Structures are given as structure tokens and as C-alpha cells.
Amino acid sequence: MEVIDNKEKNRFEANVKGELAIVEYSLKDEVISITHTEVPKALAGQGVGSKLTEAVLKHVEERGLKVKPLCPFTKKYIDKHPQWNEIVA
């Protein structure tokens, strides 16, 4: 799954089977706040949200940023995958 950072819209995007899954964010200083994750109903239950969230967290880590998981989905994902606690603001 290819994930792009659409900086103009402040969101990460993944086109999966012609459907757009997104993770919205805001960036302030060196902290990226994840505010919303949305996966189309057609893709529900296929792990798209988890794969997208993991890709976003890898992107945050590679850029040397910290993440503030305001989105319940992202927070739950990090709780289940504690290796990401290192980058939580």
C-alpha cells in the first residue's frame, strides 16, 4: 500500500482498490497530532486502517518527529503496539 503525505490537505492518503483511506493531522513544531482516521466502508475489516496507521507512524519516526495520538483509532493502535511509545509526545 502506497501512502502519500498530502501536505496541502494535512493528511496521509492511501488509494486502495479505488477507495481513499486517510489519516488527518496537524503539525506544530516537531509534533504531529493525528486527529482522524477514515477508511471507506468498502475496505472495512481488511486491516487497511492498521496498515495505514503503521505507515504514518514510520513516516513520523523517519522525520524525527513526535506523535500525539488524538484519534481514538491511532491511540488504540499504539496501545496494541507499544514499540511506537518511543515517538509519542
Side-chain angles (χ1 to χ4, degrees):
M1 172 175 22
E2 182 184 359
V3 177
I4 63 162
D5 182 2
N6 185 335
K7 293 177 182 173
E8 290 179 9
K9 293 187 177 181
N10 288 330
R11 68 185 191 189
F12 291 92
E13 303 172 342
N15 189 319
V16 181
K17 300 177 185 175
E19 301 281 345
L20 190 64
I22 62 167
V23 171
E24 296 175 341
Y25 68 85
S26 63
L27 179 63
K28 184 175 181 185
D29 300 320
E30 298 296 312
V31 178
I32 189 165
S33 297
I34 305 296
T35 56
H36 180 68
T37 301
E38 187 174 319
V39 175
K41 289 182 182 181
L43 301 174
Q46 299 176 36
V48 173
S50 293
K51 290 175 188 171
L52 177 57
T53 298
E54 183 172 348
V56 168
L57 293 173
K58 284 180 182 178
H59 179 84
V60 170
E61 182 179 52
E62 288 168 2
R63 287 181 55 192
L65 302 173
K66 293 290 185 180
V67 66
K68 187 182 287 187
L70 302 177
C71 165
F73 184 89
T74 304
K75 182 167 179 4
K76 188 175 178 181
Y77 183 88
I78 291 172
D79 288 345
K80 287 184 177 181
H81 301 88
Q83 68 268 26
W84 294 111
N85 285 333
E86 298 175 7
I87 64 168
V88 173

